[in-house]
Amino acid sequence: MSRIGKKPVTIPSGVTITVSNDNIVTVKGPKGELKQAVDRDIKIEVKDGNVDITRPTEQIRHRAMHGLYRALINNMVTGVTEGYKKQLELVGVGYKASNQGNLLDLALGYSHNIVFEIPKELKVTTSQEKGQNPMIHFESLDKQLIGQVCAKIRSLRKPEPYKGKGVKFAGEVLRRKAGKSAGK
């Protein structure tokens, strides 16, 4: 039995979870609403303030999906109650970020600025304090979406191993290389 899959998801107060006939789980909470389609073989029961996820057989496919859907539903419950936040840091001379609504304008050392459109489900803000690196702050209900957008922005200029210049997550520790050593 899956260690993650057999744990029930507790439903906090103010959150309602419904499962439709075609196995679509809807989670409504104080911050919003999220939906997730679940494989038809996985059974989801809402009872006594908990969500129980069960699988029909011990097939590899069923075992793999058991823990996955439990984790996805738990992330949805956390999203509609607390939400998710991520921060990106721009390390490098002349690297800048600004936003107008959901359009993010990035100067990352290329010959042109990169204009990146953020999905409407995400809230984005940028900040630049004197003596600090520019920061991009994201807030969302959907953990999967916020992670995907942050990974895409990070891929525009990954941190390099010698000086650490690039787009990185706040608090991310980079593995650094020594570089050339001077001749004797």
Side-chain angles (χ1 to χ4, degrees):
M1 200 63 166
S2 169
R3 279 186 287 175
I4 293 172
K6 67 183 175 186
K7 287 184 193 171
V9 177
T10 57
I11 303 172
S13 61
V15 175
T16 57
I17 297 179
T18 56
V19 182
S20 67
N21 291 338
D22 47 344
N23 245 14
I24 295 178
V25 178
T26 306
V27 180
K28 291 181 187 174
K31 291 197 174 225
E33 176 182 338
L34 291 171
K35 292 184 179 192
Q36 174 68 45
V38 177
D39 191 88
R40 58 183 170 12
D41 293 341
I42 303 295
K43 291 190 177 32
I44 297 167
E45 296 176 21
V46 180
K47 59 181 179 191
D48 301 332
N50 287 329
V51 179
D52 292 322
I53 295 101
T54 55
R55 62 179 184 228
T57 66
E58 291 294 318
Q59 288 180 15
I60 292 174
R61 189 174 84 80
H62 290 153
R63 290 197 331 238
M65 290 187 298
H66 190 206
L68 167 76
Y69 285 121
R70 190 264 178 206
L72 290 176
I73 292 170
N74 191 47
N75 289 343
M76 289 165 52
V77 170
T78 306
V80 297
T81 54
E82 300 163 24
Y84 289 99
K85 294 180 182 175
K86 286 200 184 260
Q87 294 180 336
L88 292 174
E89 184 178 358
L90 279 62
V91 181
V93 177
Y95 287 12
K96 293 180 192 145
S98 63
N99 70 309
Q100 291 83 34
N102 273 14
L103 277 180
L104 189 62
D105 189 10
L106 300 167
L108 298 175
Y110 295 114
S111 61
H112 58 284
N113 283 6
I114 298 169
V115 179
F116 194 89
E117 188 174 349
I118 306 294
K120 65 182 185 316
E121 294 88 4
L122 264 69
K123 184 180 166 213
V124 62
T125 56
T126 55
S127 64
Q128 165 67 57
E129 284 105 35
K130 190 167 180 147
Q132 299 288 326
N133 291 323
M135 300 287 280
I136 307 170
H137 309 276
F138 291 99
E139 286 183 47
S140 176
L141 308 176
D142 194 348
K143 185 176 185 179
Q144 194 171 346
L145 180 66
I146 196 171
Q148 185 75 39
V149 169
C150 288
K152 179 65 180 168
I153 291 172
R154 185 178 184 273
S155 73
L156 296 174
R157 179 70 93 174
K158 284 190 179 163
E160 52 95 17
Y162 297 101
K163 291 186 178 177
K165 291 165 48 171
V167 180
K168 67 175 196 157
F169 289 101
E172 179 181 5
V173 178
L174 299 174
R175 205 146 167 211
R176 303 291 284 271
K177 291 185 178 177
K180 293 181 184 177
S181 57
K184 294 184 180 179

